[in-house]
CSV table of all heavy atoms in Angstrom, one decimal:
chain,number,residue,atom,x,y,z
Z,1072,GLU,N,-8.0,23.7,-38.3
Z,1072,GLU,CA,-8.3,23.9,-36.9
Z,1072,GLU,C,-8.7,22.6,-36.2
Z,1072,GLU,O,-8.4,22.3,-35.1
Z,1072,GLU,CB,-9.4,24.9,-36.8
Z,1072,GLU,CG,-8.9,26.3,-37.0
Z,1072,GLU,CD,-7.8,26.8,-36.1
Z,1072,GLU,OE1,-8.0,26.5,-34.8
Z,1072,GLU,OE2,-6.8,27.3,-36.5
Z,1073,GLN,N,-9.5,21.8,-37.0
Z,1073,GLN,CA,-9.8,20.4,-36.4
Z,1073,GLN,C,-8.7,19.5,-36.2
Z,1073,GLN,O,-8.5,18.9,-35.2
Z,1073,GLN,CB,-10.9,19.7,-37.4
Z,1073,GLN,CG,-12.2,20.5,-37.4
Z,1073,GLN,CD,-13.1,19.9,-38.5
Z,1073,GLN,OE1,-12.6,19.4,-39.5
Z,1073,GLN,NE2,-14.4,19.9,-38.2
Z,1074,LEU,N,-7.7,19.6,-37.1
Z,1074,LEU,CA,-6.5,18.7,-36.9
Z,1074,LEU,C,-5.7,19.3,-35.8
Z,1074,LEU,O,-5.0,18.6,-35.0
Z,1074,LEU,CB,-5.8,18.8,-38.2
Z,1074,LEU,CG,-6.4,17.9,-39.3
Z,1074,LEU,CD1,-5.6,18.0,-40.6
Z,1074,LEU,CD2,-6.4,16.4,-39.0
Z,1075,ARG,N,-5.7,20.6,-35.7
Z,1075,ARG,CA,-4.9,21.3,-34.5
Z,1075,ARG,C,-5.4,20.7,-33.2
Z,1075,ARG,O,-4.6,20.4,-32.3
Z,1075,ARG,CB,-4.9,22.7,-34.7
Z,1075,ARG,CG,-4.1,23.4,-33.5
Z,1075,ARG,CD,-4.1,24.9,-33.5
Z,1075,ARG,NE,-3.1,25.4,-34.7
Z,1075,ARG,CZ,-3.6,26.0,-35.7
Z,1075,ARG,NH1,-4.8,26.2,-35.9
Z,1075,ARG,NH2,-2.7,26.4,-36.6
Z,1076,LEU,N,-6.7,20.8,-33.0
Z,1076,LEU,CA,-7.3,20.4,-31.8
Z,1076,LEU,C,-7.0,18.9,-31.6
Z,1076,LEU,O,-6.6,18.5,-30.4
Z,1076,LEU,CB,-8.9,20.6,-31.8
Z,1076,LEU,CG,-9.6,20.0,-30.5
Z,1076,LEU,CD1,-9.1,20.7,-29.4
Z,1076,LEU,CD2,-11.0,20.2,-30.6
Z,1077,LEU,N,-7.1,18.1,-32.6
Z,1077,LEU,CA,-6.8,16.6,-32.5
Z,1077,LEU,C,-5.3,16.4,-32.0
Z,1077,LEU,O,-5.1,15.7,-31.1
Z,1077,LEU,CB,-7.0,15.9,-33.8
Z,1077,LEU,CG,-6.5,14.5,-33.9
Z,1077,LEU,CD1,-7.2,13.6,-32.9
Z,1077,LEU,CD2,-6.6,13.9,-35.3
Z,1078,HIS,N,-4.4,17.2,-32.7
Z,1078,HIS,CA,-3.0,16.9,-32.4
Z,1078,HIS,C,-2.5,17.4,-31.0
Z,1078,HIS,O,-1.7,16.9,-30.5
Z,1078,HIS,CB,-2.2,17.3,-33.6
Z,1078,HIS,CG,-2.2,16.3,-34.7
Z,1078,HIS,ND1,-1.3,15.3,-34.9
Z,1078,HIS,CD2,-3.1,16.2,-35.7
Z,1078,HIS,CE1,-1.5,14.7,-36.0
Z,1078,HIS,NE2,-2.7,15.1,-36.5
Z,1079,GLN,N,-3.2,18.5,-30.7
Z,1079,GLN,CA,-3.0,19.1,-29.3
Z,1079,GLN,C,-3.3,17.9,-28.2
Z,1079,GLN,O,-2.7,17.7,-27.3
Z,1079,GLN,CB,-3.9,20.3,-29.1
Z,1079,GLN,CG,-3.3,21.5,-29.7
Z,1079,GLN,CD,-4.1,22.7,-29.7
Z,1079,GLN,OE1,-5.3,22.6,-29.4
Z,1079,GLN,NE2,-3.6,23.9,-29.9
Z,1080,THR,N,-4.5,17.3,-28.6
Z,1080,THR,CA,-5.0,16.2,-27.6
Z,1080,THR,C,-4.0,15.0,-27.7
Z,1080,THR,O,-3.7,14.5,-26.6
Z,1080,THR,CB,-6.4,15.8,-28.0
Z,1080,THR,OG1,-7.2,17.0,-28.1
Z,1080,THR,CG2,-7.1,14.9,-27.0
Z,1081,ILE,N,-3.6,14.7,-28.9
Z,1081,ILE,CA,-2.7,13.5,-29.0
Z,1081,ILE,C,-1.5,13.8,-28.2
Z,1081,ILE,O,-1.0,12.9,-27.3
Z,1081,ILE,CB,-2.3,13.3,-30.3
Z,1081,ILE,CG1,-3.5,12.7,-31.2
Z,1081,ILE,CG2,-1.1,12.3,-30.5
Z,1081,ILE,CD1,-3.3,12.6,-32.7
Z,1082,LYS,N,-0.9,14.9,-28.2
Z,1082,LYS,CA,0.4,15.3,-27.5
Z,1082,LYS,C,0.1,15.2,-26.0
Z,1082,LYS,O,0.9,14.6,-25.2
Z,1082,LYS,CB,1.0,16.6,-27.9
Z,1082,LYS,CG,2.2,17.0,-27.2
Z,1082,LYS,CD,2.9,18.1,-27.9
Z,1082,LYS,CE,4.3,18.3,-27.3
Z,1082,LYS,NZ,5.1,19.5,-27.9
Z,1083,LYS,N,-1.0,15.9,-25.6
Z,1083,LYS,CA,-1.3,16.0,-24.1
Z,1083,LYS,C,-1.6,14.6,-23.5
Z,1083,LYS,O,-1.0,14.3,-22.5
Z,1083,LYS,CB,-2.5,16.9,-24.0
Z,1083,LYS,CG,-2.9,17.1,-22.5
Z,1083,LYS,CD,-2.0,17.9,-21.7
Z,1083,LYS,CE,-2.6,18.2,-20.4
Z,1083,LYS,NZ,-1.6,19.0,-19.5
Z,1084,VAL,N,-2.4,13.8,-24.2
Z,1084,VAL,CA,-2.7,12.5,-23.6
Z,1084,VAL,C,-1.5,11.6,-23.6
Z,1084,VAL,O,-1.4,10.8,-22.7
Z,1084,VAL,CB,-4.0,11.8,-24.4
Z,1084,VAL,CG1,-4.2,10.4,-23.9
Z,1084,VAL,CG2,-5.2,12.7,-24.3
Z,1085,GLY,N,-0.7,11.7,-24.6
Z,1085,GLY,CA,0.5,10.8,-24.6
Z,1085,GLY,C,1.5,11.2,-23.4
Z,1085,GLY,O,2.0,10.3,-22.7
Z,1086,ILE,N,1.7,12.4,-23.2
Z,1086,ILE,CA,2.6,12.9,-22.2
Z,1086,ILE,C,2.0,12.5,-20.9
Z,1086,ILE,O,2.8,11.9,-20.0
Z,1086,ILE,CB,2.9,14.4,-22.3
Z,1086,ILE,CG1,3.8,14.7,-23.6
Z,1086,ILE,CG2,3.6,14.9,-21.0
Z,1086,ILE,CD1,3.8,16.2,-23.8
Side-chain angles (χ1 to χ4, degrees):
E1072 285 304 314
Q1073 289 173 330
L1074 289 174
R1075 177 177 289 116
L1076 177 60
L1077 169 66
H1078 284 266
Q1079 287 173 340
T1080 307
I1081 290 172
K1082 184 170 185 177
K1083 179 70 171 177
V1084 173
I1086 291 173

